[in-house]
Amino acid sequence: MSERAQTTAAKQERAILVGTERPHMLLPASESLAELARLADTAGLVVAGETVQALRRVHPATFVGAGKVEQIRALADERQADVAIFDDPLSPAQQRNLEKGCKRKVIDRSALILDIFAQRARSLEGKMQVELAQLQYLLPRLTRQWTHLSRLGGGVGTRGPGETQLEVDRRRVRERIAQLRRRLRDVERTRGLHRHERSTVPFPTLALVGYTNSGKSTLMNTLTRAGVLVEDRLFATLDPTIRKLRLPEGLTVLLADTVGFIHKLPHQLVEAFKGTLEEVRAADLLIHVVDVAHPTWAEQVRVVEDVLDEIGAGDRPVVLALNKIDLLRAGQAPPGVGPDAIPISARTGAGIGALLAAVEGRLSRGLERVRCALPSGRGDLISLLKRAGRVIEEYYRDGVVTVTALVPPKVAGQLRKQLPGLAAEPPC
């Protein structure tokens, strides 16, 4: 008789997805649920089934109403599901009531995204940001963690000083939140110093933004050979990457890859990642990467614009990069969404030259034309002009080099401090 094979691999949890169809939704329920399925797959879950409920109003106790709760429980029993995942945010009370009604674990989209971030964070800063977001999400839900210890017994012998287990737990979570915020402030201060150091040799800065899985990291690798992780999964990269990039006409810029945005992004994550997203707010120009092969790309564009407004970067100038044109059907033209939209394929390299030319054109609009005569010994200033701007003319005579260049206003101001007689023209 052969022995049964032993395995230590953890059994994959099976999930039932629950969506709602409501008025004024940004994404159709089917598309939002399909995205939830991809999130579940990214988190390592097996999607065992899904159901959608048309809602005119949210039920305060169970979000979807008692009848639907029974239907979810029956479906979960039939498909042997371990967890029910709601596509909408649930209050702590709704989550608790749903778990009682469904007889199994219930989470919402926010908890699922937080779990994915916890799996994907690699740097110390990323791990702290995710932990902070998870604790902020957990704090109002702590009553359900300690149902058996939530209160001490009453009567003789139990009165007097002391804390309940629930109060101890809440206090510890608040202390950890405060500690993480202090440590993240230190990290943000260090990041701010690095930004200040970069501003002393002020290259223009670009930031790649876009919906998750739109191809930002692939574009980053194509442009700079940065070696950023690329996977066909949501939130493949969380930690920002910054690389130097030289544009075709000679202008040098700094390019930052940032975390992707998503429909119904948890507020806790936006708060926790504000330090990382500072790279977006500080950028001179944003490259908004759009997956035009996705059926709801227009709605994804609106989601990204909403998140940019939320983090205070809605006023940044933007170039639209319409990515994945290689996946469009034969003869299907990329959508026309304005003169600054550039069709590209980050994977094949199609349209990259046009994108870089458009970026350089946008950045050159704000450059100042300067002309200065320098002793040949001032190689530091000549080097600065070549690194931070575009040298148009350069000639040497009698130990003096005369340079005409297009430079960012910050560089022009820096040169004026060192060369009071500097000739400059207004920005282009």
Side-chain angles (χ1 to χ4, degrees):
M1 183 177 174
S2 61
E3 293 185 8
R4 182 177 296 177
Q6 297 291 321
T7 178
T8 57
K11 172 181 168 286
Q12 273 191 299
E13 286 187 289
R14 294 170 61 81
I16 295 294
L17 309 184
V18 184
T20 57
E21 187 77 65
R22 288 184 288 165
H24 314 299
M25 290 178 66
L26 189 58
L27 283 179
S30 58
E31 287 295 336
S32 191
L33 210 57
E35 186 175 86
L36 187 66
R38 293 202 66 198
L39 287 168
D41 176 64
T42 301
L45 298 166
V46 175
V47 176
E50 57 184 52
T51 180
V52 177
Q53 172 71 24
L55 271 188
R56 281 183 294 183
R57 65 178 186 86
V58 171
H59 194 286
T62 54
F63 195 82
V64 290
K68 190 65 177 179
V69 173
E70 274 299 310
Q71 186 184 338
I72 294 166
R73 186 185 61 76
L75 180 62
D77 287 343
E78 178 192 335
R79 305 289 173 86
Q80 299 180 330
D82 309 287
V83 57
I85 306 175
F86 277 68
D87 194 32
D88 298 279
L90 301 173
S91 70
Q94 287 168 344
Q95 194 170 356
R96 187 165 60 250
N97 293 334
L98 283 166
E99 287 193 339
K100 287 178 183 174
C102 295
K103 303 284 194 293
R104 55 191 29 85
K105 182 168 60 177
V106 173
I107 64 172
D108 59 14
R109 174 187 272 247
S110 295
L112 183 61
I113 293 174
L114 288 169
D115 186 80
I116 293 168
F117 270 55
Q119 294 179 40
R120 296 276 169 158
R122 293 289 177 267
S123 69
L124 178 61
E125 180 189 4
K127 289 176 181 177
M128 287 194 297
Q129 287 169 324
V130 171
E131 185 183 353
L132 174 60
Q134 285 181 315
L135 290 175
Q136 288 172 324
Y137 178 83
L138 176 67
L139 187 59
R141 292 167 168 78
L142 278 178
T143 51
R144 54 194 288 274
Q145 307 293 319
W146 297 100
T147 52
H148 62 299
L149 292 172
S150 60
R151 288 288 178 269
L152 294 173
V156 177
T158 61
R159 300 184 181 94
E163 293 178 294
T164 67
Q165 181 63 52
L166 176 62
E167 288 161 349
V168 169
D169 201 54
R170 279 180 175 155
R171 178 167 52 81
R172 285 177 178 166
V173 169
R174 288 192 184 102
E175 286 170 357
R176 180 61 178 161
I177 287 174
Q179 181 187 32
L180 285 168
R181 281 179 171 154
R182 284 194 300 271
R183 292 175 65 185
L184 282 169
R185 275 197 296 270
D186 292 339
V187 172
E188 287 170 24
R189 197 175 299 117
T190 303
R191 192 185 289 279
L193 290 172
H194 290 165
R195 270 194 298 272
H196 179 70
E197 287 171 10
R198 293 200 298 269
S199 72
T200 60
V201 184
F203 299 123
T205 55
L206 312 178
L208 297 174
V209 299
Y211 210 79
T212 182
N213 207 44
S214 62
K216 297 183 306 303
S217 296
T218 303
L219 181 58
M220 182 78 170
N221 289 341
T222 299
L223 295 175
T224 67
R225 299 178 184 171
V228 178
L229 173 69
V230 174
E231 287 184 320
D232 186 21
R233 289 203 164 193
L234 305 183
F235 301 117
T237 45
L238 298 185
D239 299 314
T241 304
I242 299 174
R243 293 289 185 272
K244 196 181 290 185
L245 172 65
R246 193 166 181 83
L247 298 175
E249 295 296 320
L251 187 65
T252 299
V253 298
L254 294 176
L255 181 65
D257 184 20
T258 59
V259 64
F261 303 147
I262 197 168
H263 181 48
K264 301 175 185 174
L265 187 68
H267 179 71
Q268 295 92 344
L269 273 179
V270 175
E271 284 296 313
F273 275 74
K274 272 193 172 170
T276 300
L277 295 172
E278 181 63 33
E279 298 294 345
V280 177
R281 287 200 295 272
D284 296 292
L285 180 68
L286 304 181
I287 301 178
H288 182 172
V289 184
V290 181
D291 176 4
V292 289
H294 197 280
T296 60
W297 66 267
E299 287 78 8
Q300 292 183 355
V301 168
R302 285 202 291 274
V303 169
V304 172
E305 289 172 348
D306 288 346
V307 177
L308 289 174
D309 284 337
E310 188 176 349
I311 65 173
D315 60 343
R316 298 286 81 199
V318 177
V319 169
L320 272 178
L322 306 180
N323 192 27
K324 304 190 184 181
I325 57 170
D326 53 305
L327 299 182
L328 295 177
R329 295 190 305 276
Q332 182 182 357
V337 285
D340 288 324
I342 312 296
I344 68 163
S345 169
R347 188 175 64 84
T348 67
I352 296 298
L355 175 65
L356 293 177
V359 167
E360 196 157 33
R362 289 294 295 270
L363 292 173
S364 296
R365 290 180 195 172
L367 296 184
E368 292 188 29
R369 185 185 180 99
V370 297
R371 186 171 183 273
C372 48
L374 304 167
S376 55
R378 292 306 305 269
D380 57 330
L381 291 181
I382 297 170
S383 176
L384 172 63
L385 288 170
K386 289 181 176 178
R387 286 199 314 272
R390 188 162 79 234
V391 173
I392 299 170
E393 188 180 48
E394 176 183 3
Y395 63 88
Y396 293 79
R397 184 176 179 180
D398 299 330
V400 174
V401 56
T402 303
V403 183
T404 303
L406 289 172
V407 296
K410 286 187 274 190
V411 177
Q414 200 171 330
L415 289 169
R416 286 190 196 96
K417 289 179 184 176
Q418 300 188 49
L419 305 168
L422 178 72
E425 298 176 10
C428 303

